[in-house]
Each structure stands twice: as structure tokens, then as C-alpha cells.
Amino acid sequence: MGLSRWTSGEREAPEPLEGNVVATVVGGTVVWFTLFLVQLPFYRWFDEHGRTWWLWTCLAGGVLGLYGIWFVRRREAALRRERLARETGADSGPGTGTATGPGTGTAPEGPAPAE
């Protein structure tokens, strides 16, 4: 028993669930900023009770949500480009302008160049 039955590699990982990720992240970001703005008038009460971290947590959630919006929009655009290239049968080999390497979702083929 234990974790070995889950980590032994005998089972394949399921496909990731895809949904409207951009809308989900935008919705969450709006909620965090709304919570921050609703709590802001009560700053004095939060300060007297040692709970100002509630406000800063909401602000941090909103700011991180802005980064999340940028990130998922960029990811969606990359997936769309990849899907379009696959549908049109475009060659994605070296020299075609397709980015490869870390952060692009594709790995370069062949050995790494010597430095």
C-alpha cells in the first residue's frame, strides 16, 4: 500500500482540464480587489485589532491576479498559435521562426551547443 502505487509510473497522468482560464483569473482578480476596496474604509478598526494583514492579503491577491491575467492570456495565445500551426501543417523545424527553449512549451531538438 502507500504512495508507491500512485508514483510507480504504472498509471498515466490524466489530460489537464481546459476551460475558460482567462475568465476565471479575471473573476478572481476582481474579487480580490473588491474585497480590498470594501475593507479599506475600516482600516482603523483593522489596525486597532491587529488585522491589517487582511487588507494587504486582498491587495496582494489583486496584484498577483494582474500577473495571472497577463500569464494566462500569453499562454492562451501560444496555444492558439500552436493549434493554428498544427492545423495548417506548418513546418516547425529550425529556421522557421518558431521559438524553442525554456518557457515556450517546446524543447530544442538535438544536443545543446557547446559554449
Side-chain angles (χ1 to χ4, degrees):
M1 192 100 159
L3 290 177
S4 63
R5 70 179 182 163
W6 302 104
T7 60
S8 65
E10 294 177 10
R11 297 175 183 236
E12 281 191 40
E15 290 293 320
L17 296 174
E18 293 292 333
N20 194 349
V21 180
V22 176
T24 303
V25 174
V26 168
T29 303
V30 168
V31 167
W32 281 115
F33 275 126
T34 302
L35 287 170
F36 173 73
L37 292 175
V38 166
Q39 293 177 3
L40 199 54
F42 304 102
Y43 182 84
R44 181 177 295 156
W45 184 90
F46 285 119
D47 190 35
E48 291 171 357
H49 292 86
R51 301 278 193 261
T52 55
W53 64 269
W54 288 11
L55 281 95
W56 307 129
T57 299
C58 294
L59 183 61
V63 170
L64 289 172
L66 292 176
Y67 170 73
I69 292 169
W70 171 80
F71 184 84
V72 296
R73 289 188 66 188
R74 189 170 154 222
R75 178 182 178 269
E76 291 290 322
L79 290 173
R80 196 175 310 117
R81 281 191 309 270
E82 183 181 335
R83 192 176 316 117
L84 181 63
R86 197 175 325 131
E87 288 173 0
T88 59
D91 180 40
S92 60
T96 60
T98 303
T100 59
T104 60
T106 60
E109 294 181 16
E115 292 183 9

